[in-house]
Amino acid sequence: MNDGKVGAPFEYSHTYIQFLAFLKIGFKIAYRTVQGIVRGLSDYIRIEEMHITHLRRRILKIKPSVASVNIDDDDKPITLVVDASGLTLTKKGDYIEQRWIRKRKEFVKLHIAVDAKSEKIVSFRVTKGNVHDSKKLGPMIKEVAEEYDIDKVYGDRAHDNRKSFNLLDDLNIEPAISIRKNASTKARGCPSRRDEVLLIRKQGYDGWKQLKDGGRRWIAEIVFSSIKRVLGEDLLSKKFKAQKVEAGLKVMVYNKFMSL
């Protein structure tokens, strides 16, 4: 289409760039390999090859999002499961890391909010490994609450703090967050957390889990397991900006698989 065109050439469409990005993430391959695949496909279908530098630049401009995910909620309130897990920045084995490098292993943390019914990710954040899990619970819950009614939120002990409980109370969401064993029964500005502590003291932890259907919290673990087994738990990118895009694309590809 650019042959003989006067002025600036046409740009590759966003959907085409996203297709190439999904190729890269789905098959865990380098940019140059993607270029080679496109070159081979061009012999059979109308598909345009682009220079590797242009390809990389366009993929890194993608802003991964789950805004268009369809969870088939039928206008019913949804239940969320929140969790976080690390994505490694190297393919070296743990033995090599411990034996020779002698420094703390670096990783990027992926925070997710999963719809318990469809097991699709409805919100996510990508941070450095030293960011605490509870820091991103609030932004994810607020983002999802703008589009869906939420009836309950599951989380592990990493999300046990008064700020999280107060947020859920303000949004009229039932908390199902594991409480630390040494939790105080004093409110200290958070009556909803105190109520959960008293409930655990009364029912016992096993009774509380049965009452709250605590087994659903493992849905997030299943999602992380699926992402890491199919798409890999390591990131090929070197800079954090590119790592955020790569991790976000893993989330988008996972949701695509779940929509099939």
mmCIF file of all heavy atoms in Angstrom, residues 175-219:
data_model
loop_
_atom_site.group_PDB
_atom_site.id
_atom_site.type_symbol
_atom_site.label_atom_id
_atom_site.label_comp_id
_atom_site.label_asym_id
_atom_site.label_seq_id
_atom_site.Cartn_x
_atom_site.Cartn_y
_atom_site.Cartn_z
ATOM 1 N N PRO A 175 -15.315 -8.966 53.202
ATOM 2 C CA PRO A 175 -13.906 -9.392 53.165
ATOM 3 C C PRO A 175 -13.775 -10.880 53.485
ATOM 4 O O PRO A 175 -14.472 -11.412 54.349
ATOM 5 C CB PRO A 175 -13.265 -8.542 54.264
ATOM 6 C CG PRO A 175 -14.371 -8.319 55.246
ATOM 7 C CD PRO A 175 -15.655 -8.256 54.447
ATOM 8 N N ALA A 176 -12.882 -11.554 52.768
ATOM 9 C CA ALA A 176 -12.525 -12.940 53.065
ATOM 10 C C ALA A 176 -11.006 -13.021 53.032
ATOM 11 O O ALA A 176 -10.416 -13.799 52.287
ATOM 12 C CB ALA A 176 -13.159 -13.892 52.063
ATOM 13 N N ILE A 177 -10.390 -12.173 53.848
ATOM 14 C CA ILE A 177 -8.936 -12.043 53.889
ATOM 15 C C ILE A 177 -8.408 -12.736 55.135
ATOM 16 O O ILE A 177 -8.903 -12.500 56.239
ATOM 17 C CB ILE A 177 -8.527 -10.557 53.889
ATOM 18 C CG1 ILE A 177 -8.975 -9.892 52.581
ATOM 19 C CG2 ILE A 177 -7.023 -10.405 54.069
ATOM 20 C CD1 ILE A 177 -8.719 -8.394 52.527
ATOM 21 N N SER A 178 -7.431 -13.588 54.961
ATOM 22 C CA SER A 178 -6.843 -14.300 56.090
ATOM 23 C C SER A 178 -6.211 -13.307 57.065
ATOM 24 O O SER A 178 -5.506 -12.375 56.654
ATOM 25 C CB SER A 178 -5.788 -15.293 55.608
ATOM 26 O OG SER A 178 -6.371 -16.258 54.746
ATOM 27 N N ILE A 179 -6.470 -13.532 58.347
ATOM 28 C CA ILE A 179 -5.962 -12.644 59.394
ATOM 29 C C ILE A 179 -4.725 -13.261 60.031
ATOM 30 O O ILE A 179 -4.636 -14.478 60.214
ATOM 31 C CB ILE A 179 -7.044 -12.421 60.474
ATOM 32 C CG1 ILE A 179 -8.342 -11.901 59.839
ATOM 33 C CG2 ILE A 179 -6.548 -11.437 61.537
ATOM 34 C CD1 ILE A 179 -8.265 -10.523 59.288
ATOM 35 N N ARG A 180 -3.770 -12.421 60.394
ATOM 36 C CA ARG A 180 -2.582 -12.903 61.085
ATOM 37 C C ARG A 180 -2.952 -13.497 62.446
ATOM 38 O O ARG A 180 -3.900 -13.041 63.097
ATOM 39 C CB ARG A 180 -1.575 -11.766 61.263
ATOM 40 C CG ARG A 180 -0.960 -11.293 59.958
ATOM 41 C CD ARG A 180 0.152 -10.287 60.219
ATOM 42 N NE ARG A 180 -0.365 -9.058 60.778
ATOM 43 C CZ ARG A 180 -0.806 -8.032 60.034
ATOM 44 N NH1 ARG A 180 -0.793 -8.117 58.706
ATOM 45 N NH2 ARG A 180 -1.252 -6.942 60.610
ATOM 46 N N LYS A 181 -2.199 -14.489 62.871
ATOM 47 C CA LYS A 181 -2.523 -15.214 64.103
ATOM 48 C C LYS A 181 -2.462 -14.320 65.337
ATOM 49 O O LYS A 181 -3.197 -14.533 66.304
ATOM 50 C CB LYS A 181 -1.578 -16.404 64.274
ATOM 51 C CG LYS A 181 -1.787 -17.498 63.241
ATOM 52 C CD LYS A 181 -0.854 -18.671 63.505
ATOM 53 C CE LYS A 181 -1.092 -19.786 62.494
ATOM 54 N NZ LYS A 181 -0.191 -20.948 62.714
ATOM 55 N N ASN A 182 -1.584 -13.339 65.344
ATOM 56 C CA ASN A 182 -1.424 -12.475 66.512
ATOM 57 C C ASN A 182 -2.242 -11.197 66.404
ATOM 58 O O ASN A 182 -1.926 -10.188 67.037
ATOM 59 C CB ASN A 182 0.057 -12.134 66.701
ATOM 60 C CG ASN A 182 0.626 -11.378 65.506
ATOM 61 O OD1 ASN A 182 0.018 -11.342 64.439
ATOM 62 N ND2 ASN A 182 1.803 -10.787 65.689
ATOM 63 N N ALA A 183 -3.305 -11.208 65.582
ATOM 64 C CA ALA A 183 -4.104 -10.006 65.347
ATOM 65 C C ALA A 183 -4.800 -9.551 66.634
ATOM 66 O O ALA A 183 -5.313 -10.368 67.402
ATOM 67 C CB ALA A 183 -5.134 -10.268 64.260
ATOM 68 N N SER A 184 -4.818 -8.245 66.845
ATOM 69 C CA SER A 184 -5.462 -7.672 68.024
ATOM 70 C C SER A 184 -6.967 -7.545 67.806
ATOM 71 O O SER A 184 -7.441 -7.381 66.683
ATOM 72 C CB SER A 184 -4.869 -6.292 68.302
ATOM 73 O OG SER A 184 -5.603 -5.623 69.312
ATOM 74 N N THR A 185 -7.725 -7.634 68.892
ATOM 75 C CA THR A 185 -9.186 -7.476 68.817
ATOM 76 C C THR A 185 -9.601 -6.009 68.940
ATOM 77 O O THR A 185 -10.800 -5.706 68.916
ATOM 78 C CB THR A 185 -9.866 -8.287 69.932
ATOM 79 O OG1 THR A 185 -9.334 -7.891 71.203
ATOM 80 C CG2 THR A 185 -9.642 -9.776 69.725
ATOM 81 N N LYS A 186 -8.637 -5.112 69.043
ATOM 82 C CA LYS A 186 -8.951 -3.685 69.124
ATOM 83 C C LYS A 186 -9.215 -3.142 67.716
ATOM 84 O O LYS A 186 -8.532 -3.498 66.765
ATOM 85 C CB LYS A 186 -7.801 -2.924 69.770
ATOM 86 C CG LYS A 186 -7.565 -3.310 71.228
ATOM 87 C CD LYS A 186 -6.422 -2.504 71.822
ATOM 88 C CE LYS A 186 -6.183 -2.901 73.275
ATOM 89 N NZ LYS A 186 -5.055 -2.128 73.875
ATOM 90 N N ALA A 187 -10.195 -2.271 67.608
ATOM 91 C CA ALA A 187 -10.588 -1.738 66.293
ATOM 92 C C ALA A 187 -9.500 -0.846 65.699
ATOM 93 O O ALA A 187 -9.086 -1.021 64.554
ATOM 94 C CB ALA A 187 -11.892 -0.966 66.398
ATOM 95 N N ARG A 188 -9.044 0.141 66.484
ATOM 96 C CA ARG A 188 -8.017 1.085 66.034
ATOM 97 C C ARG A 188 -8.359 1.677 64.662
ATOM 98 O O ARG A 188 -7.544 1.711 63.746
ATOM 99 C CB ARG A 188 -6.648 0.403 65.985
ATOM 100 C CG ARG A 188 -6.133 -0.001 67.351
ATOM 101 C CD ARG A 188 -4.824 -0.742 67.266
ATOM 102 N NE ARG A 188 -4.347 -1.125 68.586
ATOM 103 C CZ ARG A 188 -3.314 -1.928 68.829
ATOM 104 N NH1 ARG A 188 -2.647 -2.437 67.792
ATOM 105 N NH2 ARG A 188 -2.958 -2.235 70.050
ATOM 106 N N GLY A 189 -9.606 2.132 64.548
ATOM 107 C CA GLY A 189 -10.038 2.786 63.317
ATOM 108 C C GLY A 189 -10.532 1.852 62.238
ATOM 109 O O GLY A 189 -10.790 2.292 61.116
ATOM 110 N N CYS A 190 -10.669 0.559 62.536
ATOM 111 C CA CYS A 190 -11.113 -0.406 61.529
ATOM 112 C C CYS A 190 -12.033 -1.452 62.171
ATOM 113 O O CYS A 190 -11.596 -2.570 62.494
ATOM 114 C CB CYS A 190 -9.906 -1.080 60.879
ATOM 115 S SG CYS A 190 -10.352 -2.183 59.525
ATOM 116 N N PRO A 191 -13.306 -1.116 62.361
ATOM 117 C CA PRO A 191 -14.251 -2.050 62.999
ATOM 118 C C PRO A 191 -14.444 -3.347 62.222
ATOM 119 O O PRO A 191 -14.647 -4.399 62.819
ATOM 120 C CB PRO A 191 -15.568 -1.239 63.044
ATOM 121 C CG PRO A 191 -15.151 0.182 62.923
ATOM 122 C CD PRO A 191 -13.924 0.185 62.072
ATOM 123 N N SER A 192 -14.392 -3.291 60.884
ATOM 124 C CA SER A 192 -14.641 -4.497 60.089
ATOM 125 C C SER A 192 -13.547 -5.544 60.307
ATOM 126 O O SER A 192 -13.826 -6.746 60.351
ATOM 127 C CB SER A 192 -14.757 -4.146 58.605
ATOM 128 O OG SER A 192 -13.545 -3.594 58.123
ATOM 129 N N ARG A 193 -12.307 -5.095 60.466
ATOM 130 C CA ARG A 193 -11.226 -6.052 60.721
ATOM 131 C C ARG A 193 -11.362 -6.645 62.114
ATOM 132 O O ARG A 193 -11.136 -7.847 62.324
ATOM 133 C CB ARG A 193 -9.866 -5.382 60.569
ATOM 134 C CG ARG A 193 -8.691 -6.345 60.724
ATOM 135 C CD ARG A 193 -7.354 -5.641 60.469
ATOM 136 N NE ARG A 193 -6.239 -6.573 60.558
ATOM 137 C CZ ARG A 193 -5.620 -6.892 61.690
ATOM 138 N NH1 ARG A 193 -6.027 -6.331 62.835
ATOM 139 N NH2 ARG A 193 -4.619 -7.749 61.698
ATOM 140 N N ARG A 194 -11.747 -5.827 63.078
ATOM 141 C CA ARG A 194 -11.969 -6.337 64.438
ATOM 142 C C ARG A 194 -13.052 -7.405 64.437
ATOM 143 O O ARG A 194 -12.930 -8.443 65.097
ATOM 144 C CB ARG A 194 -12.379 -5.195 65.371
ATOM 145 C CG ARG A 194 -12.717 -5.625 66.799
ATOM 146 C CD ARG A 194 -13.524 -4.566 67.508
ATOM 147 N NE ARG A 194 -14.747 -4.294 66.777
ATOM 148 C CZ ARG A 194 -15.512 -3.221 66.988
ATOM 149 N NH1 ARG A 194 -15.153 -2.314 67.878
ATOM 150 N NH2 ARG A 194 -16.622 -3.039 66.289
ATOM 151 N N ASP A 195 -14.127 -7.180 63.657
ATOM 152 C CA ASP A 195 -15.206 -8.157 63.576
ATOM 153 C C ASP A 195 -14.705 -9.489 63.018
ATOM 154 O O ASP A 195 -15.135 -10.562 63.458
ATOM 155 C CB ASP A 195 -16.342 -7.618 62.704
ATOM 156 C CG ASP A 195 -17.035 -6.419 63.326
ATOM 157 O OD1 ASP A 195 -16.870 -6.223 64.546
ATOM 158 O OD2 ASP A 195 -17.725 -5.677 62.592
ATOM 159 N N GLU A 196 -13.814 -9.434 62.024
ATOM 160 C CA GLU A 196 -13.260 -10.657 61.451
ATOM 161 C C GLU A 196 -12.391 -11.392 62.470
ATOM 162 O O GLU A 196 -12.433 -12.626 62.559
ATOM 163 C CB GLU A 196 -12.428 -10.330 60.210
ATOM 164 C CG GLU A 196 -13.237 -9.927 58.995
ATOM 165 C CD GLU A 196 -14.122 -11.053 58.489
ATOM 166 O OE1 GLU A 196 -13.591 -12.123 58.132
ATOM 167 O OE2 GLU A 196 -15.343 -10.863 58.463
ATOM 168 N N VAL A 197 -11.608 -10.632 63.245
ATOM 169 C CA VAL A 197 -10.766 -11.242 64.272
ATOM 170 C C VAL A 197 -11.633 -11.936 65.322
ATOM 171 O O VAL A 197 -11.357 -13.078 65.724
ATOM 172 C CB VAL A 197 -9.865 -10.185 64.940
ATOM 173 C CG1 VAL A 197 -9.079 -10.804 66.089
ATOM 174 C CG2 VAL A 197 -8.909 -9.580 63.924
ATOM 175 N N LEU A 198 -12.715 -11.271 65.757
ATOM 176 C CA LEU A 198 -13.616 -11.864 66.749
ATOM 177 C C LEU A 198 -14.315 -13.099 66.194
ATOM 178 O O LEU A 198 -14.541 -14.078 66.911
ATOM 179 C CB LEU A 198 -14.651 -10.826 67.193
ATOM 180 C CG LEU A 198 -14.100 -9.627 67.991
ATOM 181 C CD1 LEU A 198 -15.208 -8.605 68.243
ATOM 182 C CD2 LEU A 198 -13.488 -10.091 69.309
ATOM 183 N N LEU A 199 -14.633 -13.070 64.900
ATOM 184 C CA LEU A 199 -15.288 -14.218 64.275
ATOM 185 C C LEU A 199 -14.348 -15.425 64.248
ATOM 186 O O LEU A 199 -14.772 -16.564 64.512
ATOM 187 C CB LEU A 199 -15.723 -13.853 62.852
ATOM 188 C CG LEU A 199 -16.453 -14.937 62.050
ATOM 189 C CD1 LEU A 199 -17.755 -15.323 62.737
ATOM 190 C CD2 LEU A 199 -16.726 -14.452 60.626
ATOM 191 N N ILE A 200 -13.078 -15.178 63.965
ATOM 192 C CA ILE A 200 -12.096 -16.254 63.950
ATOM 193 C C ILE A 200 -11.889 -16.806 65.359
ATOM 194 O O ILE A 200 -11.770 -18.027 65.557
ATOM 195 C CB ILE A 200 -10.763 -15.766 63.350
ATOM 196 C CG1 ILE A 200 -10.928 -15.467 61.858
ATOM 197 C CG2 ILE A 200 -9.656 -16.798 63.560
ATOM 198 C CD1 ILE A 200 -9.703 -14.887 61.202
ATOM 199 N N ARG A 201 -11.851 -15.912 66.349
ATOM 200 C CA ARG A 201 -11.704 -16.361 67.729
ATOM 201 C C ARG A 201 -12.886 -17.241 68.142
ATOM 202 O O ARG A 201 -12.719 -18.205 68.898
ATOM 203 C CB ARG A 201 -11.628 -15.139 68.657
ATOM 204 C CG ARG A 201 -10.424 -14.253 68.452
ATOM 205 C CD ARG A 201 -9.170 -14.834 69.083
ATOM 206 N NE ARG A 201 -8.009 -13.974 68.876
ATOM 207 C CZ ARG A 201 -7.647 -12.990 69.701
ATOM 208 N NH1 ARG A 201 -8.378 -12.743 70.794
ATOM 209 N NH2 ARG A 201 -6.576 -12.258 69.456
ATOM 210 N N LYS A 202 -14.063 -16.927 67.631
ATOM 211 C CA LYS A 202 -15.272 -17.671 67.999
ATOM 212 C C LYS A 202 -15.380 -18.991 67.246
ATOM 213 O O LYS A 202 -15.674 -20.037 67.833
ATOM 214 C CB LYS A 202 -16.504 -16.811 67.722
ATOM 215 C CG LYS A 202 -17.823 -17.482 68.077
ATOM 216 C CD LYS A 202 -19.003 -16.569 67.773
ATOM 217 C CE LYS A 202 -20.321 -17.266 68.098
ATOM 218 N NZ LYS A 202 -21.486 -16.382 67.792
ATOM 219 N N GLN A 203 -15.141 -18.964 65.943
ATOM 220 C CA GLN A 203 -15.340 -20.140 65.092
ATOM 221 C C GLN A 203 -14.090 -21.016 64.986
ATOM 222 O O GLN A 203 -14.203 -22.192 64.620
ATOM 223 C CB GLN A 203 -15.760 -19.693 63.680
ATOM 224 C CG GLN A 203 -17.042 -18.891 63.609
ATOM 225 C CD GLN A 203 -18.266 -19.757 63.823
ATOM 226 O OE1 GLN A 203 -18.225 -20.971 63.676
ATOM 227 N NE2 GLN A 203 -19.384 -19.119 64.180
ATOM 228 N N GLY A 204 -12.935 -20.450 65.289
ATOM 229 C CA GLY A 204 -11.690 -21.156 64.994
ATOM 230 C C GLY A 204 -11.334 -20.926 63.527
ATOM 231 O O GLY A 204 -12.208 -20.620 62.704
ATOM 232 N N TYR A 205 -10.046 -21.052 63.195
ATOM 233 C CA TYR A 205 -9.633 -20.734 61.830
ATOM 234 C C TYR A 205 -10.261 -21.674 60.808
ATOM 235 O O TYR A 205 -10.697 -21.249 59.745
ATOM 236 C CB TYR A 205 -8.110 -20.788 61.714
ATOM 237 C CG TYR A 205 -7.596 -20.253 60.397
ATOM 238 C CD1 TYR A 205 -7.717 -18.902 60.080
ATOM 239 C CD2 TYR A 205 -7.015 -21.096 59.451
ATOM 240 C CE1 TYR A 205 -7.270 -18.406 58.874
ATOM 241 C CE2 TYR A 205 -6.567 -20.613 58.246
ATOM 242 C CZ TYR A 205 -6.694 -19.267 57.957
ATOM 243 O OH TYR A 205 -6.265 -18.785 56.754
ATOM 244 N N ASP A 206 -10.355 -22.967 61.146
ATOM 245 C CA ASP A 206 -10.972 -23.920 60.224
ATOM 246 C C ASP A 206 -12.458 -23.622 60.041
ATOM 247 O O ASP A 206 -12.986 -23.713 58.923
ATOM 248 C CB ASP A 206 -10.785 -25.356 60.725
ATOM 249 C CG ASP A 206 -9.339 -25.816 60.627
ATOM 250 O OD1 ASP A 206 -8.603 -25.256 59.798
ATOM 251 O OD2 ASP A 206 -8.956 -26.732 61.391
ATOM 252 N N GLY A 207 -13.116 -23.269 61.124
ATOM 253 C CA GLY A 207 -14.533 -22.911 61.036
ATOM 254 C C GLY A 207 -14.742 -21.645 60.225
ATOM 255 O O GLY A 207 -15.704 -21.540 59.451
ATOM 256 N N TRP A 208 -13.816 -20.673 60.382
ATOM 257 C CA TRP A 208 -13.898 -19.429 59.611
ATOM 258 C C TRP A 208 -13.714 -19.702 58.125
ATOM 259 O O TRP A 208 -14.427 -19.155 57.287
ATOM 260 C CB TRP A 208 -12.832 -18.452 60.113
ATOM 261 C CG TRP A 208 -12.755 -17.176 59.344
ATOM 262 C CD1 TRP A 208 -13.511 -16.051 59.531
ATOM 263 C CD2 TRP A 208 -11.875 -16.888 58.253
ATOM 264 N NE1 TRP A 208 -13.157 -15.077 58.629
ATOM 265 C CE2 TRP A 208 -12.153 -15.559 57.829
ATOM 266 C CE3 TRP A 208 -10.887 -17.607 57.598
ATOM 267 C CZ2 TRP A 208 -11.468 -14.960 56.779
ATOM 268 C CZ3 TRP A 208 -10.205 -17.018 56.553
ATOM 269 C CH2 TRP A 208 -10.492 -15.702 56.155
ATOM 270 N N LYS A 209 -12.745 -20.574 57.777
ATOM 271 C CA LYS A 209 -12.514 -20.913 56.371
ATOM 272 C C LYS A 209 -13.732 -21.597 55.766
ATOM 273 O O LYS A 209 -14.094 -21.337 54.611
ATOM 274 C CB LYS A 209 -11.293 -21.825 56.237
ATOM 275 C CG LYS A 209 -9.963 -21.117 56.392
ATOM 276 C CD LYS A 209 -8.830 -21.891 55.751
ATOM 277 C CE LYS A 209 -8.691 -23.253 56.351
ATOM 278 N NZ LYS A 209 -7.547 -23.996 55.752
ATOM 279 N N GLN A 210 -14.370 -22.470 56.539
ATOM 280 C CA GLN A 210 -15.565 -23.148 56.031
ATOM 281 C C GLN A 210 -16.710 -22.163 55.846
ATOM 282 O O GLN A 210 -17.453 -22.228 54.859
ATOM 283 C CB GLN A 210 -15.967 -24.266 56.989
ATOM 284 C CG GLN A 210 -17.121 -25.127 56.495
ATOM 285 C CD GLN A 210 -17.410 -26.292 57.410
ATOM 286 O OE1 GLN A 210 -16.759 -26.461 58.439
ATOM 287 N NE2 GLN A 210 -18.398 -27.093 57.042
ATOM 288 N N LEU A 211 -16.845 -21.241 56.782
ATOM 289 C CA LEU A 211 -17.894 -20.233 56.703
ATOM 290 C C LEU A 211 -17.701 -19.305 55.510
ATOM 291 O O LEU A 211 -18.665 -18.929 54.827
ATOM 292 C CB LEU A 211 -17.931 -19.421 58.004
ATOM 293 C CG LEU A 211 -19.021 -18.352 58.144
ATOM 294 C CD1 LEU A 211 -20.400 -19.007 58.188
ATOM 295 C CD2 LEU A 211 -18.790 -17.514 59.392
ATOM 296 N N LYS A 212 -16.456 -18.951 55.234
ATOM 297 C CA LYS A 212 -16.131 -18.019 54.155
ATOM 298 C C LYS A 212 -15.862 -18.722 52.825
ATOM 299 O O LYS A 212 -15.620 -18.051 51.821
ATOM 300 C CB LYS A 212 -14.882 -17.201 54.529
ATOM 301 C CG LYS A 212 -15.074 -16.247 55.702
ATOM 302 C CD LYS A 212 -15.841 -15.007 55.279
ATOM 303 C CE LYS A 212 -15.892 -13.994 56.400
ATOM 304 N NZ LYS A 212 -16.523 -12.729 55.981
ATOM 305 N N ASP A 213 -15.915 -20.064 52.827
ATOM 306 C CA ASP A 213 -15.574 -20.834 51.632
ATOM 307 C C ASP A 213 -14.151 -20.479 51.190
ATOM 308 O O ASP A 213 -13.897 -20.110 50.037
ATOM 309 C CB ASP A 213 -16.577 -20.553 50.511
ATOM 310 C CG ASP A 213 -16.471 -21.549 49.360
ATOM 311 O OD1 ASP A 213 -15.801 -22.584 49.554
ATOM 312 O OD2 ASP A 213 -17.024 -21.289 48.288
ATOM 313 N N GLY A 214 -13.236 -20.617 52.139
ATOM 314 C CA GLY A 214 -11.864 -20.165 51.930
ATOM 315 C C GLY A 214 -11.102 -20.872 50.825
ATOM 316 O O GLY A 214 -10.083 -20.373 50.353
ATOM 317 N N GLY A 215 -11.581 -22.040 50.376
ATOM 318 C CA GLY A 215 -10.885 -22.746 49.312
ATOM 319 C C GLY A 215 -10.845 -22.009 47.998
ATOM 320 O O GLY A 215 -9.984 -22.277 47.146
ATOM 321 N N ARG A 216 -11.734 -21.045 47.808
ATOM 322 C CA ARG A 216 -11.776 -20.307 46.541
ATOM 323 C C ARG A 216 -10.562 -19.397 46.370
ATOM 324 O O ARG A 216 -10.274 -18.946 45.268
ATOM 325 C CB ARG A 216 -13.062 -19.483 46.450
ATOM 326 C CG ARG A 216 -14.321 -20.301 46.582
ATOM 327 C CD ARG A 216 -15.561 -19.479 46.366
ATOM 328 N NE ARG A 216 -15.803 -19.227 44.967
ATOM 329 C CZ ARG A 216 -16.805 -18.465 44.508
ATOM 330 N NH1 ARG A 216 -17.625 -17.889 45.358
ATOM 331 N NH2 ARG A 216 -16.962 -18.270 43.215
ATOM 332 N N ARG A 217 -9.847 -19.147 47.477
ATOM 333 C CA ARG A 217 -8.658 -18.298 47.378
ATOM 334 C C ARG A 217 -7.595 -18.922 46.491
ATOM 335 O O ARG A 217 -6.748 -18.221 45.922
ATOM 336 C CB ARG A 217 -8.105 -18.041 48.781
ATOM 337 C CG ARG A 217 -6.947 -17.070 48.820
ATOM 338 C CD ARG A 217 -6.636 -16.658 50.241
ATOM 339 N NE ARG A 217 -6.257 -17.771 51.070
ATOM 340 C CZ ARG A 217 -5.023 -18.287 51.111
ATOM 341 N NH1 ARG A 217 -4.077 -17.803 50.324
ATOM 342 N NH2 ARG A 217 -4.752 -19.285 51.910
ATOM 343 N N TRP A 218 -7.621 -20.241 46.329
ATOM 344 C CA TRP A 218 -6.612 -20.926 45.534
ATOM 345 C C TRP A 218 -6.827 -20.739 44.033
ATOM 346 O O TRP A 218 -5.999 -21.170 43.233
ATOM 347 C CB TRP A 218 -6.598 -22.408 45.885
ATOM 348 C CG TRP A 218 -6.087 -22.631 47.264
ATOM 349 C CD1 TRP A 218 -6.827 -22.856 48.395
ATOM 350 C CD2 TRP A 218 -4.718 -22.590 47.686
ATOM 351 N NE1 TRP A 218 -6.011 -22.965 49.488
ATOM 352 C CE2 TRP A 218 -4.705 -22.806 49.091
ATOM 353 C CE3 TRP A 218 -3.509 -22.393 47.025
ATOM 354 C CZ2 TRP A 218 -3.525 -22.841 49.829
ATOM 355 C CZ3 TRP A 218 -2.335 -22.418 47.763
ATOM 356 C CH2 TRP A 218 -2.349 -22.640 49.139
ATOM 357 N N ILE A 219 -7.940 -20.112 43.649
ATOM 358 C CA ILE A 219 -8.164 -19.840 42.225
ATOM 359 C C ILE A 219 -7.030 -18.990 41.654
ATOM 360 O O ILE A 219 -6.563 -19.210 40.532
ATOM 361 C CB ILE A 219 -9.529 -19.147 42.021
ATOM 362 C CG1 ILE A 219 -10.662 -20.128 42.346
ATOM 363 C CG2 ILE A 219 -9.674 -18.614 40.596
ATOM 364 C CD1 ILE A 219 -12.047 -19.506 42.313
#
